[in-house]
Amino acid sequence: MVSAHGARGAQGAHGAREAHGARGAQGAHAELEARMRARLGGRDCLYVPSCRLGLYLALRHWCPPGGRVLMSPVNDDVIFFVVLAAGLRPVQAPLDPHTGSLDPAAVPDAVWSGLCAVLTTNLYGNPDPAPGLRERCDRLGIPLLEDAAHAIGSTVGGRPVGAWGDAAVFSLSKHAGARTGGFLAVADPARRAALAAERDALLRPSRAGGELARLARPYAESAARALRLTRPAHAALRALGVHERPGIRMPLRPAELTRALGAAPALDPFHSWIRVDLHDYRLRTGPARLRRVRTRLAALDAVLDAHRAGTARLLATEYASPGAPDGGRVQPLFRVPLLVEDRDAAAAALARRGIPVGYLYDPPLDAYAGAEFTDPSPAPAPAAWFARHALPVDPRRADEALAALRASGARPAVPAPAPGGAR
Protein backbone atom coordinates (compact mmCIF):
# COMPACT_ATOMS: atom_id res chain seq x y z
CA MET A 1 0.00 0.00 0.00
CA VAL A 2 1.36 3.43 -0.97
CA SER A 3 1.13 6.04 1.78
CA ALA A 4 -0.31 9.50 1.17
CA HIS A 5 3.19 10.86 1.75
CA GLY A 6 4.57 8.45 -0.88
CA ALA A 7 1.84 9.36 -3.34
CA ARG A 8 2.53 13.04 -2.84
CA GLY A 9 6.23 12.36 -3.34
CA ALA A 10 5.57 10.48 -6.56
CA GLN A 11 3.31 13.24 -7.81
CA GLY A 12 5.94 15.81 -6.91
CA ALA A 13 8.61 13.87 -8.75
CA HIS A 14 6.37 13.55 -11.80
CA GLY A 15 5.63 17.26 -11.70
CA ALA A 16 9.32 18.05 -11.41
CA ARG A 17 10.10 15.86 -14.41
CA GLU A 18 7.36 17.55 -16.41
CA ALA A 19 8.66 21.01 -15.47
CA HIS A 20 12.21 20.00 -16.35
CA GLY A 21 11.01 18.58 -19.68
CA ALA A 22 9.09 21.75 -20.45
CA ARG A 23 12.17 23.89 -19.76
CA GLY A 24 14.27 21.62 -21.96
CA ALA A 25 11.74 21.80 -24.78
CA GLN A 26 11.60 25.60 -24.54
CA GLY A 27 15.36 25.77 -24.88
CA ALA A 28 15.34 23.41 -27.86
CA HIS A 29 12.54 25.39 -29.49
CA ALA A 30 14.44 28.65 -29.00
CA GLU A 31 17.53 27.19 -30.67
CA LEU A 32 15.54 25.89 -33.65
CA GLU A 33 13.61 29.16 -33.97
CA ALA A 34 16.85 31.13 -34.02
CA ARG A 35 18.19 29.00 -36.88
CA MET A 36 15.05 29.50 -38.92
CA ARG A 37 14.92 33.21 -38.14
CA ALA A 38 18.40 33.56 -39.64
CA ARG A 39 17.24 31.81 -42.82
CA LEU A 40 14.34 34.22 -43.20
CA GLY A 41 16.29 37.42 -42.69
CA GLY A 42 15.20 38.04 -39.12
CA ARG A 43 11.51 37.08 -39.18
CA ASP A 44 10.21 35.87 -35.85
CA CYS A 45 9.56 32.13 -35.86
CA LEU A 46 7.46 29.89 -33.64
CA TYR A 47 8.18 26.16 -33.47
CA VAL A 48 5.12 23.98 -34.10
CA PRO A 49 4.85 20.18 -34.19
CA SER A 50 3.58 20.26 -37.79
CA CYS A 51 3.06 22.60 -40.71
CA ARG A 52 -0.67 21.84 -40.70
CA LEU A 53 -1.06 22.96 -37.07
CA GLY A 54 0.91 26.11 -37.87
CA LEU A 55 -1.41 26.83 -40.79
CA TYR A 56 -4.49 26.34 -38.62
CA LEU A 57 -3.04 28.82 -36.11
CA ALA A 58 -2.38 31.36 -38.85
CA LEU A 59 -5.82 31.03 -40.41
CA ARG A 60 -7.58 31.36 -37.06
CA HIS A 61 -5.41 34.33 -36.07
CA TRP A 62 -5.68 36.37 -39.27
CA CYS A 63 -9.05 35.38 -40.79
CA PRO A 64 -12.59 35.99 -39.48
CA PRO A 65 -14.86 32.92 -39.33
CA GLY A 66 -16.86 32.60 -42.53
CA GLY A 67 -14.21 34.37 -44.61
CA ARG A 68 -13.19 33.24 -48.08
CA VAL A 69 -9.59 32.17 -48.74
CA LEU A 70 -8.06 31.97 -52.21
CA MET A 71 -5.95 28.81 -52.55
CA SER A 72 -4.59 26.39 -55.12
CA PRO A 73 -6.76 23.46 -56.22
CA VAL A 74 -3.62 21.36 -56.83
CA ASN A 75 -2.78 20.92 -53.19
CA ASP A 76 -2.80 18.34 -50.43
CA ASP A 77 -6.35 17.57 -49.32
CA VAL A 78 -5.19 17.85 -45.69
CA ILE A 79 -4.66 21.58 -46.29
CA PHE A 80 -8.20 21.84 -47.66
CA PHE A 81 -9.57 20.35 -44.42
CA VAL A 82 -7.41 22.67 -42.32
CA VAL A 83 -9.02 25.65 -44.10
CA LEU A 84 -12.48 24.22 -43.42
CA ALA A 85 -11.60 23.53 -39.77
CA ALA A 86 -10.64 27.19 -39.38
CA GLY A 87 -14.24 28.07 -40.25
CA LEU A 88 -13.33 29.40 -43.71
CA ARG A 89 -14.60 28.87 -47.25
CA PRO A 90 -11.92 27.68 -49.71
CA VAL A 91 -11.95 29.51 -53.06
CA GLN A 92 -10.04 27.64 -55.75
CA ALA A 93 -7.74 29.77 -57.91
CA PRO A 94 -6.76 29.44 -61.58
CA LEU A 95 -3.27 28.04 -62.12
CA ASP A 96 -0.51 28.38 -64.65
CA PRO A 97 -0.62 24.96 -66.38
CA HIS A 98 3.15 24.89 -66.88
CA THR A 99 4.20 25.34 -63.26
CA GLY A 100 1.13 24.69 -61.12
CA SER A 101 1.55 28.15 -59.57
CA LEU A 102 -1.27 30.56 -58.76
CA ASP A 103 -2.24 32.77 -61.73
CA PRO A 104 -3.40 36.04 -60.14
CA ALA A 105 -4.17 37.67 -63.50
CA ALA A 106 -6.82 35.02 -64.19
CA VAL A 107 -8.69 35.65 -60.92
CA PRO A 108 -11.81 37.78 -61.67
CA ASP A 109 -12.18 41.08 -59.82
CA ALA A 110 -15.44 39.82 -58.32
CA VAL A 111 -13.52 36.99 -56.66
CA TRP A 112 -10.76 39.26 -55.35
CA SER A 113 -13.28 41.62 -53.76
CA GLY A 114 -14.83 38.83 -51.64
CA LEU A 115 -11.63 37.41 -50.13
CA CYS A 116 -10.38 37.63 -46.55
CA ALA A 117 -6.93 36.15 -47.33
CA VAL A 118 -4.72 34.55 -49.96
CA LEU A 119 -2.94 31.27 -49.22
CA THR A 120 -0.01 30.35 -51.44
CA THR A 121 1.14 26.77 -52.02
CA ASN A 122 4.62 27.03 -53.63
CA LEU A 123 3.93 23.61 -55.09
CA TYR A 124 6.93 21.26 -54.96
CA GLY A 125 9.06 24.33 -54.14
CA ASN A 126 8.17 26.34 -57.27
CA PRO A 127 7.42 29.78 -55.83
CA ASP A 128 4.04 31.36 -56.31
CA PRO A 129 4.25 35.00 -57.54
CA ALA A 130 4.53 36.41 -54.01
CA PRO A 131 5.59 39.98 -54.94
CA GLY A 132 2.47 40.52 -57.05
CA LEU A 133 0.25 38.78 -54.51
CA ARG A 134 1.73 40.93 -51.73
CA GLU A 135 0.90 44.08 -53.67
CA ARG A 136 -2.65 42.89 -54.40
CA CYS A 137 -3.28 41.88 -50.80
CA ASP A 138 -2.01 45.24 -49.57
CA ARG A 139 -4.44 47.04 -51.90
CA LEU A 140 -7.31 44.90 -50.63
CA GLY A 141 -6.23 45.14 -46.99
CA ILE A 142 -6.13 41.35 -46.53
CA PRO A 143 -3.34 39.06 -45.27
CA LEU A 144 -1.05 37.01 -47.48
CA LEU A 145 -0.33 33.61 -45.91
CA GLU A 146 2.43 31.45 -47.36
CA ASP A 147 2.40 27.65 -47.22
CA ALA A 148 6.11 26.99 -47.64
CA ALA A 149 6.08 23.30 -46.71
CA HIS A 150 7.75 22.37 -50.02
CA ALA A 151 9.81 25.54 -50.33
CA ILE A 152 12.12 25.90 -47.34
CA GLY A 153 15.05 26.79 -49.62
CA SER A 154 13.26 28.56 -52.49
CA THR A 155 13.45 32.27 -53.26
CA VAL A 156 11.29 34.71 -55.20
CA GLY A 157 11.79 38.40 -55.89
CA GLY A 158 15.12 38.39 -54.08
CA ARG A 159 13.68 37.08 -50.80
CA PRO A 160 13.20 33.62 -49.31
CA VAL A 161 9.78 32.11 -49.79
CA GLY A 162 8.09 32.78 -46.46
CA ALA A 163 9.43 36.32 -46.16
CA TRP A 164 6.60 37.94 -48.15
CA GLY A 165 3.48 37.04 -46.21
CA ASP A 166 1.96 38.26 -42.98
CA ALA A 167 2.65 34.69 -41.92
CA ALA A 168 4.29 31.61 -43.42
CA VAL A 169 4.35 27.96 -42.41
CA PHE A 170 7.23 25.53 -42.96
CA SER A 171 7.54 21.77 -42.62
CA LEU A 172 10.56 19.90 -41.29
CA SER A 173 9.18 16.65 -42.71
CA LYS A 174 10.03 17.52 -46.31
CA HIS A 175 13.58 18.62 -47.22
CA ALA A 176 14.85 18.22 -43.65
CA GLY A 177 13.35 14.72 -43.35
CA ALA A 178 12.76 15.08 -39.61
CA ARG A 179 9.29 13.49 -39.89
CA THR A 180 7.97 15.99 -37.38
CA GLY A 181 8.08 19.69 -36.64
CA GLY A 182 7.72 22.97 -38.46
CA PHE A 183 7.64 26.72 -38.02
CA LEU A 184 5.15 29.54 -38.14
CA ALA A 185 7.01 32.69 -39.24
CA VAL A 186 5.42 36.10 -38.73
CA ALA A 187 6.12 39.56 -40.12
CA ASP A 188 4.93 41.35 -36.96
CA PRO A 189 6.86 40.16 -33.89
CA ALA A 190 4.19 41.64 -31.62
CA ARG A 191 1.87 38.81 -32.66
CA ARG A 192 4.21 36.01 -31.60
CA ALA A 193 3.19 35.86 -27.92
CA ALA A 194 -0.50 35.48 -28.74
CA LEU A 195 0.27 32.83 -31.34
CA ALA A 196 2.43 30.91 -28.87
CA ALA A 197 -0.42 30.91 -26.36
CA GLU A 198 -2.86 29.73 -29.03
CA ARG A 199 -0.43 26.97 -30.04
CA ASP A 200 -0.03 25.77 -26.47
CA ALA A 201 -3.79 25.64 -26.00
CA LEU A 202 -4.08 23.31 -29.02
CA LEU A 203 -1.19 20.98 -28.19
CA ARG A 204 -1.75 17.55 -26.69
CA PRO A 205 0.78 15.87 -24.37
CA SER A 206 3.31 13.43 -25.76
CA ARG A 207 3.52 10.37 -23.50
CA ALA A 208 6.97 8.89 -22.99
CA GLY A 209 5.73 5.35 -23.59
CA GLY A 210 4.60 6.24 -27.09
CA GLU A 211 7.71 8.15 -28.15
CA LEU A 212 9.35 5.18 -29.88
CA ALA A 213 6.17 4.43 -31.79
CA ARG A 214 5.90 8.06 -32.84
CA LEU A 215 9.52 7.96 -34.01
CA ALA A 216 8.72 4.98 -36.28
CA ARG A 217 5.16 5.66 -37.42
CA PRO A 218 5.87 8.54 -39.84
CA TYR A 219 8.08 6.24 -41.92
CA ALA A 220 5.16 3.84 -42.34
CA GLU A 221 2.86 6.74 -43.15
CA SER A 222 5.34 7.97 -45.78
CA ALA A 223 5.25 4.50 -47.29
CA ALA A 224 1.46 4.75 -47.44
CA ARG A 225 1.78 7.96 -49.47
CA ALA A 226 4.52 6.68 -51.73
CA LEU A 227 3.06 3.26 -52.54
CA ARG A 228 -0.58 4.09 -53.24
CA LEU A 229 -0.54 2.60 -56.72
CA THR A 230 0.22 -1.04 -55.74
CA ARG A 231 -2.41 -3.42 -54.38
CA PRO A 232 -0.02 -5.45 -52.20
CA ALA A 233 1.13 -2.24 -50.56
CA HIS A 234 -2.49 -1.28 -49.83
CA ALA A 235 -3.13 -4.64 -48.15
CA ALA A 236 0.07 -4.59 -46.11
CA LEU A 237 -0.47 -1.05 -44.86
CA ARG A 238 -4.09 -1.75 -43.96
CA ALA A 239 -2.89 -4.70 -41.87
CA LEU A 240 -0.48 -2.36 -40.06
CA GLY A 241 -3.28 0.12 -39.41
CA VAL A 242 -1.55 3.04 -41.14
CA HIS A 243 -3.31 3.02 -44.52
CA GLU A 244 -5.84 5.85 -44.73
CA ARG A 245 -5.80 6.62 -48.46
CA PRO A 246 -7.19 4.03 -50.87
CA GLY A 247 -6.26 6.41 -53.70
CA ILE A 248 -4.48 9.69 -54.24
CA ARG A 249 -7.18 11.60 -52.36
CA MET A 250 -8.53 10.50 -48.98
CA PRO A 251 -12.27 9.71 -48.83
CA LEU A 252 -14.26 12.96 -48.53
CA ARG A 253 -17.12 11.49 -46.42
CA PRO A 254 -19.59 14.30 -47.30
CA ALA A 255 -22.22 13.59 -44.65
CA GLU A 256 -19.64 13.56 -41.85
CA LEU A 257 -17.97 16.64 -43.28
CA THR A 258 -21.25 18.54 -43.29
CA ARG A 259 -21.72 17.76 -39.61
CA ALA A 260 -18.16 18.85 -38.83
CA LEU A 261 -18.70 22.15 -40.63
CA GLY A 262 -21.51 22.91 -38.21
CA ALA A 263 -18.96 22.96 -35.37
CA ALA A 264 -16.30 25.06 -37.15
CA PRO A 265 -14.10 26.84 -36.34
CA ALA A 266 -12.71 23.99 -34.27
CA LEU A 267 -9.96 21.43 -34.77
CA ASP A 268 -11.42 18.39 -33.04
CA PRO A 269 -14.39 17.78 -35.41
CA PHE A 270 -11.93 17.63 -38.35
CA HIS A 271 -9.30 15.54 -36.61
CA SER A 272 -9.98 12.37 -38.63
CA TRP A 273 -9.17 14.23 -41.87
CA ILE A 274 -6.35 16.47 -40.66
CA ARG A 275 -4.40 13.66 -38.96
CA VAL A 276 -4.07 11.61 -42.18
CA ASP A 277 -0.41 10.75 -42.87
CA LEU A 278 0.66 12.47 -39.63
CA HIS A 279 -1.17 11.34 -36.50
CA ASP A 280 1.06 13.34 -34.15
CA TYR A 281 0.42 16.66 -35.90
CA ARG A 282 -0.70 18.33 -32.64
CA LEU A 283 1.35 16.42 -30.05
CA ARG A 284 4.13 18.10 -28.15
CA THR A 285 7.43 17.02 -29.67
CA GLY A 286 9.26 14.73 -27.27
CA PRO A 287 12.99 15.01 -26.54
CA ALA A 288 14.04 12.18 -28.86
CA ARG A 289 12.22 13.71 -31.81
CA LEU A 290 13.53 17.18 -30.93
CA ARG A 291 17.07 15.79 -31.13
CA ARG A 292 16.27 14.40 -34.58
CA VAL A 293 14.84 17.76 -35.66
CA ARG A 294 17.97 19.57 -34.45
CA THR A 295 20.26 17.15 -36.31
CA ARG A 296 18.28 17.31 -39.55
CA LEU A 297 17.96 21.09 -39.52
CA ALA A 298 21.72 21.43 -39.00
CA ALA A 299 22.28 19.34 -42.16
CA LEU A 300 19.70 21.19 -44.26
CA ASP A 301 22.10 23.20 -46.42
CA ALA A 302 23.76 20.06 -47.79
CA VAL A 303 20.34 18.58 -48.54
CA LEU A 304 19.28 21.74 -50.36
CA ASP A 305 22.45 21.61 -52.46
CA ALA A 306 21.61 18.03 -53.49
CA HIS A 307 18.05 19.02 -54.37
CA ARG A 308 19.30 21.99 -56.39
CA ALA A 309 21.74 19.86 -58.38
CA GLY A 310 19.13 17.22 -59.18
CA THR A 311 16.57 19.87 -60.06
CA ALA A 312 18.98 21.39 -62.60
CA ARG A 313 19.45 17.99 -64.26
CA LEU A 314 15.71 17.29 -64.47
CA LEU A 315 14.87 20.76 -65.78
CA ALA A 316 17.29 20.22 -68.66
CA THR A 317 15.33 17.21 -70.01
CA GLU A 318 12.53 16.70 -72.49
CA TYR A 319 10.08 16.17 -69.60
CA ALA A 320 10.60 19.59 -68.04
CA SER A 321 7.79 22.10 -68.00
CA PRO A 322 8.09 24.84 -70.63
CA GLY A 323 7.49 27.25 -67.76
CA ALA A 324 10.55 26.03 -65.83
CA PRO A 325 13.42 28.51 -65.52
CA ASP A 326 16.08 28.26 -68.21
CA GLY A 327 18.68 30.40 -66.48
CA GLY A 328 19.58 32.11 -63.26
CA ARG A 329 19.20 30.54 -59.83
CA VAL A 330 17.77 27.02 -59.77
CA GLN A 331 15.40 26.38 -56.89
CA PRO A 332 16.10 23.36 -54.64
CA LEU A 333 12.74 21.82 -55.49
CA PHE A 334 11.37 19.25 -53.06
CA ARG A 335 9.98 17.38 -56.05
CA VAL A 336 10.42 18.26 -59.72
CA PRO A 337 7.07 18.07 -61.56
CA LEU A 338 7.98 16.45 -64.86
CA LEU A 339 5.13 16.58 -67.37
CA VAL A 340 4.41 13.20 -68.96
CA GLU A 341 1.66 12.02 -71.27
CA ASP A 342 0.62 9.00 -69.17
CA ARG A 343 1.36 9.87 -65.55
CA ASP A 344 0.17 6.59 -64.05
CA ALA A 345 2.21 4.46 -66.48
CA ALA A 346 5.28 6.61 -65.81
CA ALA A 347 4.79 6.30 -62.04
CA ALA A 348 4.53 2.52 -62.40
CA ALA A 349 7.76 2.47 -64.42
CA LEU A 350 9.52 4.34 -61.62
CA ALA A 351 8.01 2.05 -58.98
CA ARG A 352 9.44 -0.99 -60.80
CA ARG A 353 12.88 0.58 -60.30
CA GLY A 354 12.19 1.17 -56.62
CA ILE A 355 11.52 4.89 -57.04
CA PRO A 356 8.27 5.75 -55.24
CA VAL A 357 6.05 8.56 -56.53
CA GLY A 358 4.13 10.47 -53.89
CA TYR A 359 2.73 13.97 -53.47
CA LEU A 360 0.21 13.57 -56.28
CA TYR A 361 -2.75 15.97 -56.06
CA ASP A 362 -5.21 14.69 -58.64
CA PRO A 363 -8.05 15.50 -59.14
CA PRO A 364 -7.97 19.22 -58.23
CA LEU A 365 -9.74 20.12 -55.00
CA ASP A 366 -12.81 21.63 -56.68
CA ALA A 367 -13.40 18.40 -58.61
CA TYR A 368 -12.70 16.35 -55.48
CA ALA A 369 -14.90 18.27 -53.04
CA GLY A 370 -17.54 19.87 -55.26
CA ALA A 371 -19.36 23.18 -54.95
CA GLU A 372 -20.96 22.15 -51.65
CA PHE A 373 -17.62 22.55 -49.86
CA THR A 374 -15.60 24.96 -52.00
CA ASP A 375 -15.95 27.71 -54.57
CA PRO A 376 -14.74 26.14 -57.83
CA SER A 377 -12.04 27.76 -59.90
CA PRO A 378 -13.34 30.18 -62.55
CA ALA A 379 -10.84 28.56 -64.96
CA PRO A 380 -10.43 24.90 -63.93
CA ALA A 381 -8.90 23.43 -67.11
CA PRO A 382 -5.23 24.41 -66.52
CA ALA A 383 -5.22 22.93 -63.01
CA ALA A 384 -6.84 19.72 -64.24
CA TRP A 385 -4.27 19.40 -67.03
CA PHE A 386 -1.34 19.99 -64.68
CA ALA A 387 -2.67 17.57 -62.03
CA ARG A 388 -3.18 14.85 -64.64
CA HIS A 389 0.30 15.13 -66.19
CA ALA A 390 2.61 16.19 -63.34
CA LEU A 391 4.97 13.44 -62.19
CA PRO A 392 6.74 14.61 -58.99
CA VAL A 393 10.29 13.20 -59.00
CA ASP A 394 12.74 13.35 -56.11
CA PRO A 395 15.64 15.35 -57.58
CA ARG A 396 18.15 13.34 -55.53
CA ARG A 397 17.25 10.38 -57.75
CA ALA A 398 17.26 12.34 -60.99
CA ASP A 399 19.54 10.07 -63.01
CA GLU A 400 17.76 6.87 -61.95
CA ALA A 401 14.36 8.36 -62.69
CA LEU A 402 15.36 9.62 -66.12
CA ALA A 403 16.81 6.24 -67.06
CA ALA A 404 13.60 4.50 -65.98
CA LEU A 405 11.35 6.93 -67.86
CA ARG A 406 13.34 6.73 -71.07
CA ALA A 407 13.59 2.94 -70.92
CA SER A 408 9.82 2.70 -70.46
CA GLY A 409 9.14 4.89 -73.49
CA ALA A 410 7.41 7.58 -71.45
CA ARG A 411 6.52 10.54 -73.65
CA PRO A 412 6.48 14.18 -72.59
CA ALA A 413 3.03 15.73 -72.31
CA VAL A 414 2.04 18.08 -75.10
CA PRO A 415 1.99 21.50 -73.43
CA ALA A 416 -1.46 22.87 -72.71
CA PRO A 417 -2.20 26.31 -74.14
CA ALA A 418 -1.71 28.94 -71.46
CA PRO A 419 -4.89 30.70 -70.34
CA GLY A 420 -5.29 34.40 -70.94
CA GLY A 421 -3.94 35.40 -67.56
CA ALA A 422 -1.03 32.98 -67.29
CA ARG A 423 2.44 34.41 -67.19
Side-chain angles (χ1 to χ4, degrees):
M1 181 176 178
V2 179
S3 69
H5 176 77
R8 285 194 298 272
Q11 290 169 0
H14 178 71
R17 285 194 299 271
E18 283 194 339
H20 178 75
R23 287 193 298 271
Q26 288 170 3
H29 292 173
E31 177 191 340
L32 296 170
E33 291 161 357
R35 291 185 186 180
M36 194 64 190
R37 185 167 60 249
R39 289 182 174 275
L40 294 177
R43 287 214 162 191
D44 261 30
C45 295
L46 180 70
Y47 179 84
V48 289
S50 67
C51 180
R52 61 192 71 177
L53 186 69
L55 179 58
Y56 179 80
L57 280 168
L59 292 167
R60 290 287 290 116
H61 189 84
W62 270 274
C63 301
R68 309 171 86 80
V69 176
L70 188 71
M71 64 181 293
S72 169
V74 181
N75 200 342
D76 195 330
D77 40 27
V78 167
I79 301 304
F80 174 75
F81 291 110
V82 170
V83 174
L84 292 177
L88 304 167
R89 175 77 174 180
V91 177
Q92 305 304 322
L95 301 185
D96 182 328
H98 300 145
T99 64
S101 297
L102 292 177
D103 184 7
V107 179
D109 288 341
V111 173
W112 281 115
S113 64
L115 298 177
C116 77
V118 172
L119 173 64
T120 66
T121 300
N122 303 296
L123 185 65
Y124 305 128
N126 275 317
D128 281 312
L133 290 169
R134 175 75 273 171
E135 189 274 334
R136 189 70 184 245
C137 287
D138 286 344
R139 276 195 282 139
L140 294 169
I142 62 175
L144 174 63
L145 308 176
E146 298 181 79
D147 182 345
H150 291 179
I152 198 168
S154 296
T155 60
V156 59
R159 299 188 202 172
V161 169
W164 289 93
D166 297 85
V169 289
F170 292 87
S171 171
L172 295 174
S173 295
K174 305 298 188 296
H175 289 84
R179 309 291 178 175
T180 190
F183 296 100
L184 171 57
V186 296
D188 180 1
R191 294 181 180 266
R192 188 187 182 284
L195 287 163
E198 292 165 15
R199 175 201 61 186
D200 293 345
L202 291 170
L203 290 178
R204 296 293 179 262
S206 178
R207 300 298 181 190
E211 184 73 359
L212 287 176
R214 284 188 286 276
L215 280 166
R217 183 182 178 101
Y219 294 94
E221 291 167 342
S222 294
R225 284 195 298 269
L227 300 175
R228 290 176 200 161
L229 299 179
T230 64
R231 288 182 180 178
H234 289 321
L237 291 164
R238 276 195 298 271
L240 290 170
V242 299
H243 189 37
E244 298 170 295
R245 293 179 184 268
I248 293 173
R249 296 292 191 193
M250 73 174 85
L252 185 70
R253 311 196 317 265
E256 294 177 52
L257 185 56
T258 298
R259 290 194 293 272
L261 285 171
L267 202 52
D268 288 344
F270 295 85
H271 179 69
S272 63
W273 291 278
I274 296 175
R275 73 176 186 178
V276 168
D277 298 334
L278 191 64
H279 281 213
D280 57 359
Y281 75 96
R282 64 185 297 192
L283 294 183
R284 295 181 185 276
T285 308
R289 288 183 297 150
L290 278 174
R291 286 193 294 271
R292 182 172 65 192
V293 168
R294 187 185 301 112
T295 299
R296 294 302 181 93
L297 189 58
L300 181 59
D301 285 329
V303 174
L304 293 176
D305 286 344
H307 277 259
R308 194 175 288 111
T311 297
R313 288 199 292 278
L314 291 170
L315 292 183
T317 71
E318 66 272 29
Y319 302 109
S321 163
D326 56 1
R329 182 177 173 84
V330 175
Q331 307 287 356
L333 299 188
F334 173 61
R335 295 290 184 266
V336 180
L338 303 181
L339 297 176
V340 296
E341 185 176 279
D342 187 336
R343 194 268 320 286
D344 289 347
L350 293 184
R352 288 194 294 271
R353 298 286 189 96
I355 304 172
V357 175
Y359 303 97
L360 297 170
Y361 306 126
D362 185 25
L365 291 171
D366 39 8
Y368 162 68
E372 181 180 356
F373 300 111
T374 184
D375 285 11
S377 169
W385 186 89
F386 182 87
R388 185 168 64 252
H389 294 291
L391 180 74
V393 172
D394 185 339
R396 294 168 299 178
R397 304 190 69 176
D399 294 335
E400 298 170 79
L402 287 171
L405 290 174
R406 288 165 176 162
S408 73
R411 292 191 294 269
V414 176
R423 298 171 302 285

